[in-house]
Structure formats: C-alpha cells, structure tokens
Amino acid sequence: MADMTGNVVVVGGGTAGMEAAGQLAKAGLSVILIEKEKEMGGHLKDWHHLFPDRRPGEEVIKYLKEQIVNKNIKVLTSEKVGTFQKKGGDFILNTGKGEVIKTDAVLLTTGFDLFKSSRKEEYGYGIYDNVI
C-alpha cells in the first residue's frame, strides 16, 4: 500500500471501524475514530467465541485495540456525530459534545442488526435441534 497524506474520520468503533482505522493510519493518514459507546468492540464484545475456529472474541478486540494505540489514532468514545456536511473539498462534522472536526474523508462503519433466523422457516432455526 502506498503512503498517503490527509486525514479521515472513522465513525463506528466496532470490528470494521477499528480495523479500518488501523489500516488507514498504517497507510500514513491521520485518523480520528468516533464510537458512541463508552467501549469499542461493537457486537464482538458480546461474543464468547468466533466461528469457525472458536477464537475468543476478547482476543480479537485486544488485537484491534493494540493496533489503534500503536498507530496514535485519536479515539473519541461516548461520542456521537451530530451533523456533517461537505464544504468544498472537506467534510465538517459536529459532535454531540459540540466539537467541530474538519476532515478530508469520512468512513461510516456503524454496524448491523443481527438477523432473526426464525423469520426464515426454510433455514430450520427453532424447528430442528441441530440447527443453531
């Protein structure tokens, strides 16, 4: 990956946001990571092991957090993005606490909702004991 210059705000401190922030910093960009919760990790915080190798979720979070710290990424936790707008070649973000951030790019990694498998009868979830 070629070295880049500039700055980027990553919104969302889950698995995707932490990995993206680490890779962007590694590429030479200045990164601010904004997470609405008081801790980073997203859904992964609630998962004991990952499929298929049963790697502990906390091990993955530890690794990702180390990537953030080692790259000197500015992390804002317990923070929400109030508004953002494009102004010329920049983006202007206003946080819920009134901070104004000017950046070259914004990456949204705001997560997902888990799919309720029971809604799709053809998957067999809730019907067959061996479907988990």
Side-chain angles (χ1 to χ4, degrees):
M1 186 181 307
D3 281 345
M4 299 181 208
T5 59
N7 55 58
V8 62
V9 171
V10 177
V11 180
T15 308
M18 288 190 290
E19 178 67 19
Q23 292 298 320
L24 289 165
K26 183 178 177 182
L29 294 163
S30 175
V31 180
I32 298 174
L33 176 61
I34 300 175
E35 168 55 40
K36 70 177 179 179
E37 303 294 334
K38 64 182 176 181
E39 286 186 49
M40 293 185 295
H43 290 291
L44 189 55
K45 292 184 310 219
D46 302 326
W47 296 348
H48 183 60
H49 287 98
L50 282 79
F51 181 82
D53 61 2
R54 302 204 36 85
R55 185 174 179 192
E58 63 188 33
E59 181 182 303
V60 176
I61 290 175
K62 181 181 176 195
Y63 165 79
L64 291 168
K65 284 183 178 178
E66 286 171 359
Q67 299 305 304
I68 301 290
V69 171
N70 292 338
K71 301 288 190 286
N72 287 328
I73 295 166
K74 182 177 179 182
V75 177
L76 304 175
T77 54
S78 299
E79 184 65 87
K80 292 183 180 181
V81 174
T83 61
F84 77 92
Q85 61 183 339
K86 183 147 174 68
K87 197 175 236 184
D90 298 320
F91 290 93
I92 310 297
L93 284 83
N94 295 294
T95 68
K97 295 178 182 170
E99 186 174 351
V100 177
I101 302 170
K102 181 179 171 185
T103 186
D104 298 318
V106 178
L107 177 60
L108 300 176
T109 61
T110 55
F112 62 92
D113 290 325
L114 293 173
F115 177 73
K116 295 185 188 319
S117 300
S118 59
R119 291 179 44 202
K120 298 290 278 181
E121 210 173 272
E122 59 267 32
Y123 293 160
Y125 182 81
I127 298 171
Y128 305 109
D129 293 337
N130 62 344
V131 176
I132 55 172

